[in-house]
Structures are given as structure tokens and as C-alpha cells.
Amino acid sequence: MRKPPGCPDQLSAAEAVQFLTPDLLEFLTDLYGAPASIAQGAVQLLPFGSRAVLLATGLVTIRSDGAGPEQGEILQFSDLAFEVMATAADDEIDEVAAQAAAIVAARLRG
């Protein structure tokens, strides 16, 4: 799998987020805290382009599911993916908290 242009070999969670679309980042944020088996099942349902980005950035890897003619490939989240999920969830919590503080301040003023 070829990396996106400008994507270094090893990414930090903050760097990996830069290569994700807002929808894909929201998808990962929503998976934060879910059991790994549920998160990995959900990623199988993503469109090809989204799965390709996750593979290219190292957020998921391909695991072979047995041997033989009916063998399948399963996408498995890397440790980096779980770091990205946590980072994105923390950012979302901070954003919601800032919005709530702004609403409270506006109500106190008016």
C-alpha cells in the first residue's frame, strides 16, 4: 500500500490525523472506547477509499484469516489507531466543553 504524498514512514497520532477526512476522523472518534472486536468489525464496512487511507497511514494492518482457497483478509487496528481515537475524542471533548462554556457565559451576560 502506497503512503499518501508527504506521509512519513512512522507517524504520531497528531500527524496521522492530518491525513484523515473529517468523516473518517469522526468515525474513529465514535469508535473510541468500543471493544476492539467491535471497532475492527466496523472498519470492515468502510468504503474502499477510507480503508486505503487507514492502511496507508498505518492505522490498520491486514491480517490473514487462515489458509486455503477461502482465506480472507481482516483489517486490524494498530496501536497508532487507538492513539488517534483517543486524541480525536479528547479534542472533541475539549471543543464541546468550550462551546458549553461560551453558552453559559452568554446566558450570564444576557
Side-chain angles (χ1 to χ4, degrees), residues 47-65:
F48 175 77
S50 296
R51 292 191 318 257
V53 169
L54 294 175
L55 282 164
T57 55
L59 295 177
V60 297
T61 58
I62 296 177
R63 174 173 58 95
S64 179
D65 186 25

Side-chain angles (χ1 to χ4, degrees), residues 11-103:
L11 296 174
S12 69
E15 292 169 333
V17 167
Q18 297 173 28
F19 294 98
L20 304 177
T21 64
D23 287 343
L24 191 51
L25 186 57
E26 183 178 347
F27 173 79
L28 292 174
T29 302
D30 291 343
L31 290 176
Y32 178 69
S37 60
I38 299 298
Q40 290 172 183
V43 78
Q44 309 298 321
L45 302 174
L46 287 172
F48 175 77
S50 296
R51 292 191 318 257
V53 169
L54 294 175
L55 282 164
T57 55
L59 295 177
V60 297
T61 58
I62 296 177
R63 174 173 58 95
S64 179
D65 186 25
E70 296 182 16
Q71 119 180 352
E73 293 179 340
I74 296 173
L75 298 177
Q76 183 172 345
F77 280 115
S78 66
D79 290 340
L80 177 60
F82 291 106
E83 289 176 37
V84 167
M85 287 178 204
T87 299
D90 286 345
D91 291 347
E92 186 173 279
I93 289 168
D94 291 344
E95 184 178 323
V96 170
Q99 290 173 353
I103 290 169

